[in-house]
Amino acid sequence: MARNGPESEHQRASSKKVGSLRALFPFFAPYQRYVILAGIALVITASVSLLLPVAARRVVDGFEDGALALLDGYFLAAIGIAAIFALGTGMRYYVVTRLGERVVADIRKAVFARMISMSPAYYENLLTGEVISRITTDTTLILQVIGSSVSWFLRNSLLFVGGLAMMFITSGKLTLMVLAIIPVVILPILALGRKLRKLSRVNQDWIAQSSGNASEALQAAQTVQAYSHEAASRARFGEVTEASYATAKTRIGVRALLTMIIIFVVFSGILGVLWIGARDVRGDVMTAGELVQFLIYAGIMAGSVAALSEIWGELQRAAGATERLVELLGAEDSVSDPAKPKALPAPVRGEIAFENVVFHYPSRPEEAALNGISFTARPGEQIALVGPSGAGKSTILQLLLRFYDPQQGTIRLDGIALADMERAAFRQNLALVPQDPVIFAATARENIRFGRPDASDAEVDAAARAAQAHDFISALPQGYDSYVGERGVMLSGGQKQRIAIARAILRDAPVLLLDEATSALDAESERAVQDAFATLTEGRTTLIVAHRLATVKQADRILVFEQGRIIAEGNHDELVSQGGLYARLARLQFTEGLAAE
């Protein structure tokens, strides 16, 4: 089940503030042209905004002077300025929004590419739903920041600096009074901003936890319903969602308080400045136009400060989201490819060797799943792995696929250690039929072709026939082009297993791995598939994990596993004559099975 809370307090406290957004810079590097265009548009719009108060001053003073022609000229100039402002704003919106969409798309692809290649050990302590939440929810936050918040932050920063400079030019005395207000504004930003950042990180953690919880429950919807667990699942999801809402409510409250304090302080200061300025106009210290100009600049600066305080909260939320994505991008995998990988000799013979292999699953370090395993599978040999559940049989296949690396010992393919080769390269020579077949939300044809994407329709058809899947696929509404639903919900267990077998047949690899490959088939289908396997395994090295001994009687060799060790080895007749665990299992399955009939 899902974990009981979001990430640890220590992880949340490790936030690097808004500086975390620097991790996004490499994603902007390929699009410097757009960054420059956005910067130009930003400067144009900010500059035009700072020219408008000057035009307003000229208009007001023009009224006082009574120069009608001059007044008309100022109005025409103001219309021209407005046109430039509109053009710059439109260009800025287009370029920045497009840049944001492009960068976020690249981030999503980079995170997915990293996560899809991580070994299963990485996912032992991390819900896939939480990873999906980071790819979707966190990148959406970043998109909002890149496409809007950063642009507004830079624009308001320019307006603040430019407005302050123009205020000094207009009236130094009044400007100093305004500056006295700034420390009063900065203090709540610093005090409440730190709390806001922590709350934002917690809120994102809870959102990810909520997504992970929902994903886990929905993927197991049939089991949830079969055990009448809907109410408990709803309650659990409700608890996580309410915790997310409670954190969000606190965060919103802090932001609202911060905004209220800043707006009150800023506008109270402006009113005080207006009062003094009005007295200066009465005393002929400054003109009415200069006072209007100063007030507009003060309003621009006040508005920019208020906007900056609000945007700062958004930037802090995005910083938390960026940290979470950077964690995924920088995640260390316990399994990695060598810097200079070796290549398998061609053609691949399919010789497999386990040399004194010891392995502990990362989540169970105190328990050895395999303990001193050594055996060699000769090219073309068919070896069966039998024994009770948890004896280490399927672990052999997982290590051979290099989903994990052993703590001791070496695994070789054609004499070359797996750790010395690129995983994608040597896996091309392996075909797996897992105990729980994975069916994708696609057509039957696409699911079979997953084994070899470049296969022709005729080859897909031949593989399906060999796996005894052709008849039921042809009976589907659109035949091979029928959509089989998410995780193959429109197919029976046996049908899904036969599609998985067809996928392995189509791969045509020199090494075949069968993990309870016929466990979901009825007796008639199993016999037909066993006939297909007789052809498929010919000339291929085959490892067969099976509980039903009837499926392994014809194997060249049988390895008997118990508690992570090989305790016996031989063919079916030899092992039965030796007595021991295999003989006991054979007696239970064959003798008592026949008696029960």
Side-chain angles (χ1 to χ4, degrees):
M1 292 297 290
R3 293 173 300 175
N4 292 328
E7 297 177 31
S8 70
E9 185 64 35
H10 172 73
Q11 288 174 294
R12 293 195 295 271
S14 66
S15 173
K16 299 177 182 176
K17 304 184 182 181
V18 174
S20 301
L21 294 173
R22 284 195 296 269
L24 301 178
F25 288 175
F27 291 97
F28 285 92
Y31 311 109
Q32 292 181 7
R33 181 180 53 157
Y34 291 105
V35 175
I36 292 170
L37 282 174
I40 292 171
L42 194 63
V43 170
I44 289 173
T45 53
S47 300
V48 169
S49 297
L50 293 172
L51 283 176
L52 288 174
V54 176
R57 171 193 168 184
R58 298 293 186 187
V59 169
V60 171
D61 288 342
F63 272 119
E64 291 184 347
D65 296 340
L68 190 60
L70 187 62
L71 188 63
D72 292 343
Y74 286 146
F75 270 113
L76 288 174
I79 291 174
I81 291 172
I84 296 172
F85 182 75
L87 180 64
T89 301
M91 186 172 79
R92 176 179 60 82
Y93 171 79
Y94 175 79
V95 173
V96 170
T97 305
R98 178 176 172 178
L99 177 64
E101 293 284 356
R102 179 67 270 167
V103 167
V104 167
D106 289 348
I107 292 171
R108 284 176 175 154
K109 290 193 294 184
V111 174
F112 179 79
R114 180 62 179 159
M115 290 296 99
I116 198 66
S117 64
M118 296 298 283
S119 64
Y122 180 76
Y123 291 100
E124 287 191 9
N125 297 307
L126 181 67
L127 290 173
T128 54
E130 184 167 333
V131 174
I132 293 169
S133 172
R134 296 190 189 191
I135 294 175
T136 54
T137 308
D138 288 356
T139 52
T140 300
L141 264 178
I142 291 173
L143 175 61
Q144 178 182 342
V145 166
I146 296 174
S148 175
S149 298
V150 167
S151 174
W152 276 104
F153 182 81
L154 294 175
R155 181 176 183 273
N156 281 284
S157 296
L158 289 174
L159 290 178
F160 175 80
V161 174
L164 185 61
M166 293 302 293
M167 284 167 63
F168 260 115
I169 294 172
T170 307
S171 173
K173 181 181 76 171
L174 294 181
T175 303
L176 291 174
M177 293 180 60
V178 171
L179 290 178
I181 304 170
I182 292 179
V184 184
V185 176
I186 295 297
L187 287 175
I189 291 178
L190 295 176
L192 296 178
R194 189 178 297 107
K195 183 176 180 63
L196 187 61
R197 184 181 69 254
K198 291 181 179 179
L199 287 170
S200 297
R201 179 65 188 257
V202 174
N203 186 217
Q204 286 305 112
D205 289 343
W206 277 116
I207 290 172
Q209 176 69 8
S210 178
S211 297
N213 183 276
S215 175
E216 184 180 46
L218 292 174
Q219 287 178 0
Q222 293 183 0
T223 302
V224 170
Q225 294 170 16
Y227 281 88
S228 302
H229 204 270
E230 296 96 328
S233 295
R234 281 194 296 267
R236 175 61 189 147
F237 181 75
E239 289 174 7
V240 178
T241 304
E242 286 300 318
S244 173
Y245 168 72
T247 309
K249 185 170 66 173
T250 305
R251 174 181 56 80
I252 292 167
V254 172
R255 278 194 62 183
L257 177 61
L258 180 61
T259 303
M260 284 189 295
I261 292 172
I262 291 172
I263 290 176
F264 175 76
V265 171
V266 168
F267 282 96
S268 295
I270 288 175
L271 288 174
V273 171
L274 177 60
W275 174 64
I276 294 174
R279 294 177 67 88
D280 284 348
V281 171
R282 294 279 296 181
D284 291 329
V285 176
M286 64 191 307
T287 67
E290 288 175 331
L291 178 60
V292 169
Q293 176 178 309
F294 183 87
L295 289 175
I296 294 175
Y297 280 127
I300 289 174
M301 195 186 76
S304 65
V305 170
L308 286 171
S309 69
E310 187 169 343
I311 295 168
W312 191 256
E314 292 296 331
L315 293 177
Q316 287 176 319
R317 286 191 71 195
T322 301
E323 285 180 3
R324 290 155 54 81
L325 289 169
V326 168
E327 285 173 7
L328 298 185
L329 287 171
E332 293 292 333
D333 199 349
S334 58
V335 179
S336 60
D337 292 330
K340 295 181 179 179
K342 296 180 180 179
L344 278 168
V348 176
R349 297 180 300 118
E351 181 183 77
I352 297 167
F354 277 65
E355 301 172 356
N356 195 31
V357 170
V358 176
F359 174 68
H360 301 250
Y361 281 101
S363 59
R364 303 191 301 274
E366 71 288 343
E367 179 184 345
L370 296 177
N371 194 353
I373 296 296
S374 296
F375 72 89
T376 299
R378 296 180 292 275
E381 187 178 17
Q382 187 177 135
I383 295 182
L385 314 177
V386 302
S389 297
K393 307 182 298 298
S394 295
T395 302
I396 292 288
L397 305 190
Q398 296 202 49
L399 291 181
L400 185 55
L401 284 160
R402 206 175 170 225
F403 291 155
Y404 302 89
D405 278 336
Q407 282 76 33
Q408 295 179 34
T410 306
I411 305 169
R412 301 182 186 275
L413 178 60
D414 283 359
I416 301 177
L418 298 186
D420 293 336
M421 294 184 283
E422 187 180 21
R423 286 169 291 174
F426 79 75
R427 284 173 183 167
Q428 291 288 335
N429 301 286
L430 309 175
L432 171 69
V433 182
Q435 182 175 1
D436 297 317
V438 175
I439 304 298
F440 298 94
T443 65
R445 189 189 310 279
E446 289 168 330
N447 267 284
I448 295 174
R449 189 174 274 139
F450 194 85
R452 185 153 56 90
D454 59 347
S456 66
D457 287 350
E459 289 173 315
V460 171
D461 182 275
R465 290 179 184 276
Q468 301 298 311
H470 174 75
D471 290 344
F472 83 78
I473 293 176
S474 299
L476 295 173
Q478 282 82 43
Y480 280 81
D481 294 316
S482 297
Y483 177 75
V484 297
E486 185 179 15
R487 293 177 288 114
V489 293
M490 298 171 63
L491 304 175
S492 70
Q495 289 172 335
K496 287 190 283 189
Q497 204 147 28
R498 277 180 277 178
I499 283 183
I501 292 168
R503 183 186 294 161
I505 291 172
L506 183 65
R507 191 165 178 83
D508 194 24
V511 176
L512 184 62
L513 309 176
L514 307 177
D515 190 358
E516 296 286 353
T518 60
S519 62
L521 300 182
D522 56 68
E524 184 177 354
S525 296
E526 182 178 9
R527 179 168 296 178
V529 170
Q530 288 291 352
D531 292 339
F533 279 159
T535 303
L536 175 63
T537 58
E538 187 174 346
R540 290 181 171 82
T541 307
T542 307
L543 297 186
I544 307 171
V545 173
H547 283 104
R548 297 213 300 248
L549 302 186
T551 62
V552 302
K553 286 178 65 176
Q554 305 305 316
D556 297 320
R557 260 192 304 157
I558 299 171
L559 305 181
V560 183
F561 282 74
E562 187 174 33
Q563 296 181 351
R565 297 179 181 274
I566 297 175
I567 60 171
E569 179 179 346
N571 61 34
H572 174 75
D573 293 332
E574 291 171 347
L575 291 171
V576 168
S577 65
Q578 291 175 13
L581 176 61
Y582 186 87
R584 187 167 71 253
L585 294 174
R587 185 167 59 252
L588 286 170
Q589 292 191 28
F590 296 124
T591 308
E592 294 185 9
L594 291 172
E597 294 176 0

